[in-house]
Amino acid sequence: MTAPESHPRYQSLLIRERLVAGVRAGITSQEGLIAHGRGEAFDYLLGERTIGSAIRASRAAAALLLAAKRPVLSVNGNVAALVPDEIIELSRVTGAQIEINLFYRTENRVRAIADHLRAHGTSAHEILGEHPDASLPLDHARSQVCADGIHAADAVLVPLEDGDRCQALASMGKSVITIDLNPLSRTAEAATITIVDNVVRAIPNMIRLARQMEGLPEDKLNEIALQHDNKEALQDAIREIVSQWKGQGEVEIGETEAP
Ligand code: PTJ
């Protein structure tokens, strides 16, 4: 099926098709489709748009990556299917390394993602994660990391994450940036900076904002990153959801009850 451009949910259908293609290509896990469904529901509640606090979080996150000494972008099966070109571009703009790190890790899927990223323009030596040689204090496959990548990083972008690794990375003293449409998730709360936005909008925004800040002195970049209040941004996202739908239920109940 190819979604017709005239369909009111065209963009949303396109994203689904890209993930289904990702599953067929052995890049995305089947569980990734379920995870996407949860994200899609929150995106619907947010009005499928980038809210102001998400733009501010994206700017702080871009500043954090630019100021970091060893920034790393962690890529999973959903991210590889949805934003391969954009992840590569973000790594170029910020000087960050790319490391594949999977929750449902299989060696075939790691290889498929690495090949997919290479086909999108990353040269072989730039992708980490195929041969992990260090570990994080976790009892699942996300523990397998590269000593020169995530393990040594001072700032890590972990989009569409599970809370465990986010907490583990934070407790190792790293700055953790996540992109998660669910402002109530453990990940959202544990991260240094959470961008409550769809990854397909957030990464292009980060690229644009990072370009705008290129050349700023390190202390200015750190100031921008440190000024960000994660708790306040999460509360703002919840307020946006409430104000988006305020009165909606009351109207419908009223209409149903009318003679
Ligand atoms: O490729 P793998 O094996 O590493 O697996 C990746 C998934 C995403 C399946 C794995 O990390 C997982 O199970 O994640 P969770 O715990 O379901 O969390 C995913 C979070 O991402 C949820 O809070 C969703 O709301 C959110 N999310 C889903 N799709 C998007 C999203 N956030 C931003 N943009 C999206 N497109």
Side-chain angles (χ1 to χ4, degrees), residues 77-171:
N78 289 48
V79 170
L82 290 178
V83 282
D85 291 323
E86 294 85 347
I87 275 289
I88 293 166
E89 189 54 25
L90 184 62
S91 102
R92 285 196 185 118
V93 177
T94 59
Q97 288 184 292
I98 293 176
E99 179 164 337
I100 300 165
N101 179 272
L102 304 182
F103 185 76
Y104 301 103
R105 186 181 177 103
T106 67
E107 295 318 306
N108 282 348
R109 206 148 68 80
V110 174
R111 203 171 315 112
I113 293 172
D115 289 345
H116 180 63
L117 293 176
R118 281 182 203 114
H120 278 264
T122 319
S123 61
H125 68 274
E126 288 173 303
I127 302 175
L128 298 171
E130 286 182 279
H131 309 290
D133 52 359
S135 64
L136 301 177
L138 293 169
D139 55 8
H140 53 75
R142 276 211 198 281
S143 62
Q144 299 175 43
V145 294
C146 289
D148 286 339
I150 289 174
H151 202 270
D154 52 352
V156 194
L157 172 70
V158 290
L160 278 71
E161 179 65 5
D162 58 282
D164 287 10
R165 186 172 61 140
C166 191
Q167 273 160 351
L169 292 170
S171 65

Side-chain angles (χ1 to χ4, degrees), residues 135-214:
S135 64
L136 301 177
L138 293 169
D139 55 8
H140 53 75
R142 276 211 198 281
S143 62
Q144 299 175 43
V145 294
C146 289
D148 286 339
I150 289 174
H151 202 270
D154 52 352
V156 194
L157 172 70
V158 290
L160 278 71
E161 179 65 5
D162 58 282
D164 287 10
R165 186 172 61 140
C166 191
Q167 273 160 351
L169 292 170
S171 65
M172 288 169 82
K174 301 177 194 302
S175 300
V176 187
I177 301 159
T178 191
I179 302 170
D180 192 335
L181 279 158
N182 178 2
L184 307 166
S185 72
R186 270 187 313 146
T187 306
E189 281 179 8
T192 317
I193 299 175
T194 300
I195 303 168
V196 183
D197 201 4
N198 197 315
V199 73
V200 302
R201 298 189 297 267
I203 302 274
N205 280 334
M206 287 177 76
I207 295 168
R208 183 174 52 80
L209 294 161
R211 284 208 182 104
Q212 285 173 9
M213 290 184 287
E214 255 173 342

Side-chain angles (χ1 to χ4, degrees), residues 42-59:
F42 276 102
D43 208 9
Y44 188 88
L45 292 175
L46 279 162
E48 291 169 333
R49 70 205 157 96
T50 299
I51 59 176
S53 54
I55 282 285
R56 291 190 289 279
S58 300
R59 183 164 180 265

